[in-house]
Amino acid sequence: ALAGLSALTIAGFTQPAAAQYCEGKVRGLSNNYNPATGSGFLAVRAGPTRSAAQRGELFNGDTVEIFRRKGNWYKVAATDGSVEGWASVRWIRNDCRY
């Protein structure tokens, strides 16, 4: 435990209160939704790989809390609480220092 710091829990992820809050917004996806081709949504996955199980979907304009980066993936949670997991950095615009 970190002395003098409380923990902050957002959408099931716990991080020290002193950690940087970083928010991103989904942008640049096709407007044509087609799950068969992967078009029109950003897959949120159980792990930072394309082969990891899909947990949910994000769409243009959705806002996420970004917790960390691993390669070309962000660990995220939708700010509306609908989904959490890993999403491609390519489609999330932000000013984070990751």
Side-chain angles (χ1 to χ4, degrees):
L2 299 172
L5 294 178
S6 61
L8 173 66
T9 301
I10 299 174
F13 294 115
T14 302
Q15 61 186 26
Q20 172 190 357
Y21 178 84
C22 186
E23 192 173 272
K25 190 167 279 208
V26 178
R27 294 277 189 235
L29 301 171
S30 168
N31 291 325
N32 299 315
Y33 179 78
N34 186 338
T37 63
S39 178
F41 67 94
L42 175 58
V44 178
R45 301 193 175 276
T49 67
R50 290 186 67 195
S51 61
Q54 185 173 318
R55 289 187 167 173
E57 299 172 345
L58 296 169
F59 301 92
N60 284 325
D62 286 350
T63 304
V64 296
E65 165 78 7
I66 301 170
F67 295 94
R68 67 185 179 111
R69 182 174 182 157
K70 185 171 185 180
N72 290 323
W73 297 85
Y74 284 136
K75 189 170 190 178
V76 301
T79 55
D80 67 4
S82 62
V83 66
E84 61 184 57
W86 294 86
S88 172
V89 302
R90 178 179 181 183
W91 308 107
I92 301 174
R93 306 295 179 257
N94 63 78
D95 293 323
C96 304
R97 290 187 168 83
Y98 294 114

